[in-house]
Amino acid sequence: MPLTDARTIAAVRCHGPGDVRVEQLPARAPGAGEVAIEPLAVGVCGTDGHIVGGSFPAARPVVLGHEVCGRVREVGPGVDRLAPGDLVTVEPHDYCTACAYCRLGQEHLCDAKRGYGVRLDGGMTERMVVPARIAYRLPPDTPPWIGALTEPLACCIHGMDQLAPRSGLPVLVYGAGPAGAMMVALARSRGLAPVVVMDPRPDRRDLALRMGADAALDPTDPASGAAARDMTDGLGFPYVVDAVGSAHLLESAIGMASRGGRILVFGVARPDEEARVRPNEVFARELTIVGAVINPYTHHRAVGMLPTLRLDRLRPAFFPLEKVSQALEAQAVGQADKVFVAPYGVDAARR
Ligand SMILES: [Zn+2]
Ligand SMILES: [Zn+2]
């Protein structure tokens, strides 16, 4: 374990497409209003793979990792809300605070939004220095890998806010990867019923059921659509979530929605994909299609919900910093329910 007086720290930096290196970087002391965190668990997400693959715009080089839970090591001048030893989760965005969107309370749509692990150095490192106001204290007994789920959970909460469901009605979730699985847990906690999931992978259908879905169907089975619809008395779903991101799924979601249905586009489709939508159908069936991007003002709420959602039903896999390439590969193939980089070792991440 490095000490505060260590001159350098290990970090995972992406220098360009396919070029990920574990490097020694200078250790920076926290300035005024900042904290230095030792990241204990850092979630690997699809975005990391897209950055490394070159399809997601990012700074070069940049330290990867935006789903961060760690322990405060040092606090800078003027920080009185946090102390060394605190377990924290990082809300990984920086906004200009001055553009029209920022002034409208829509900072996540900011012209100059910068994400940690994307434009700013992220958490796959032995030491991350961030403004104290974006480090949120967690209950000290929180397993760090659960703490690292605060960021994707905050995105899911924003998605649910956009979907704005009323309790007691059915929801259909496409995709039971980590985000879809958290959506299922959130849908349950909001009283939606039945919660129906479509995913072609048996292991992910199993995860969906563990997370509380009433049914998990294989969309490649031609009978799955009718089977899902039967669970809504043939009306279709008032709420549909695309937690995968594809033109094809949006078309399917529209087909499965009930009259007056609301469809959430939550997964990240390729930028060039186009879906066929009939405006007459949107009109006549009074459909609403809404997007949700990142986690505006929901990180605080995610911290509050974290202990209630039993996210330990996910099965994690951990990799040390040096094995980041294997971690990215494991994420890409979905080797575990959720993959983490553990800069201070597996025991410190799992605890
Ligand atoms: Zn992510
Ligand atoms: Zn702005």
Side-chain angles (χ1 to χ4, degrees), residues 94-103 106-113:
D94 175 77
Y95 307 105
C96 84
T97 75
C99 75
Y101 295 110
C102 282
R103 303 323 306 153
Q106 296 172 306
E107 289 181 336
H108 61 305
L109 305 177
C110 173
D111 289 335
K113 173 178 76 187

Side-chain angles (χ1 to χ4, degrees), residues 43-48 66-67 151-152 155 338:
V44 181
C45 113
T47 305
D48 298 307
H66 58 273
E67 303 177 0
E151 195 272 350
C155 295
K338 182 72 186 179

Side-chain angles (χ1 to χ4, degrees), residues 20-336:
V20 176
R21 306 178 203 166
V22 180
E23 300 177 302
Q24 290 293 318
L25 301 178
R28 183 165 84 75
E34 290 183 325
V35 289
I37 296 164
E38 291 176 345
L40 301 178
V42 185
V44 181
C45 113
T47 305
D48 298 307
H50 297 315
I51 292 170
V52 173
S55 63
F56 196 94
R60 310 280 188 208
V62 72
V63 177
L64 295 173
H66 58 273
E67 303 177 0
V68 186
C69 178
R71 183 166 292 118
V72 174
R73 179 75 196 213
E74 274 180 79
V75 302
V79 175
D80 48 17
R81 210 174 43 81
L82 291 171
D86 283 349
L87 190 71
V88 293
T89 158
V90 176
E91 178 186 0
H93 291 100
D94 175 77
Y95 307 105
C96 84
T97 75
C99 75
Y101 295 110
C102 282
R103 303 323 306 153
L104 287 166
Q106 296 172 306
E107 289 181 336
H108 61 305
L109 305 177
C110 173
D111 289 335
K113 173 178 76 187
R114 294 187 300 171
Y116 288 84
V118 182
R119 301 265 182 203
L120 301 167
D121 284 341
M124 289 188 193
T125 169
E126 291 172 323
R127 184 182 176 92
M128 182 187 194
V129 179
V130 297
R133 69 182 162 77
I134 62 168
Y136 295 64
R137 193 188 296 109
L138 289 166
D141 56 350
T142 309
W145 71 273
I146 298 283
L149 294 171
T150 310
E151 195 272 350
L153 176 62
C155 295
C156 291
I157 291 173
H158 177 50
M160 274 291 166
D161 286 355
Q162 291 287 85
L163 192 64
R166 289 187 291 169
S167 55
L169 292 173
V171 63
L172 175 62
V173 179
Y174 284 100
M182 280 190 270
M183 279 294 192
V184 168
L186 273 182
R188 268 264 94 91
S189 77
R190 292 213 178 189
L192 291 168
V195 178
V196 181
V197 173
M198 293 261 195
D199 197 297
R201 284 178 51 157
D203 58 327
R204 292 199 158 161
R205 293 199 296 276
D206 179 58
L207 170 61
L209 294 172
R210 284 207 309 282
M211 298 304 280
D214 296 287
L217 305 170
D218 179 356
T220 65
D221 174 355
S224 62
R229 192 173 284 277
D230 279 351
M231 284 179 255
T232 66
D233 296 327
L235 296 174
F237 289 83
Y239 305 107
V240 186
V241 176
D242 172 8
V244 179
S246 87
H248 169 70
L249 275 193
L250 177 59
E251 291 167 4
S252 298
I254 289 170
M256 292 302 290
S258 66
R259 290 180 208 153
R262 293 176 65 80
I263 296 150
L264 173 67
V265 178
F266 187 71
V268 185
R270 286 206 325 270
D272 58 341
E273 276 194 53
E274 291 180 12
R276 288 162 62 89
V277 177
R278 285 184 286 148
N280 181 269
E281 192 180 7
V282 176
F283 159 76
R285 294 175 57 213
E286 209 170 76
L287 302 176
T288 304
I289 300 170
V290 290
V293 66
I294 66 168
N295 40 19
Y297 310 102
T298 49
H299 207 91
H300 179 92
R301 293 162 59 198
V303 169
M305 286 198 85
L306 200 64
T308 74
L309 290 175
R310 296 213 19 239
L311 297 181
D312 58 354
R313 288 175 286 183
L314 289 153
R315 290 174 186 152
F318 301 97
F319 295 83
L321 272 186
E322 315 82 73
K323 297 205 168 142
V324 63
S325 296
Q326 280 159 260
L328 287 163
E329 175 65 18
Q331 192 282 328
V333 301
Q335 189 192 89

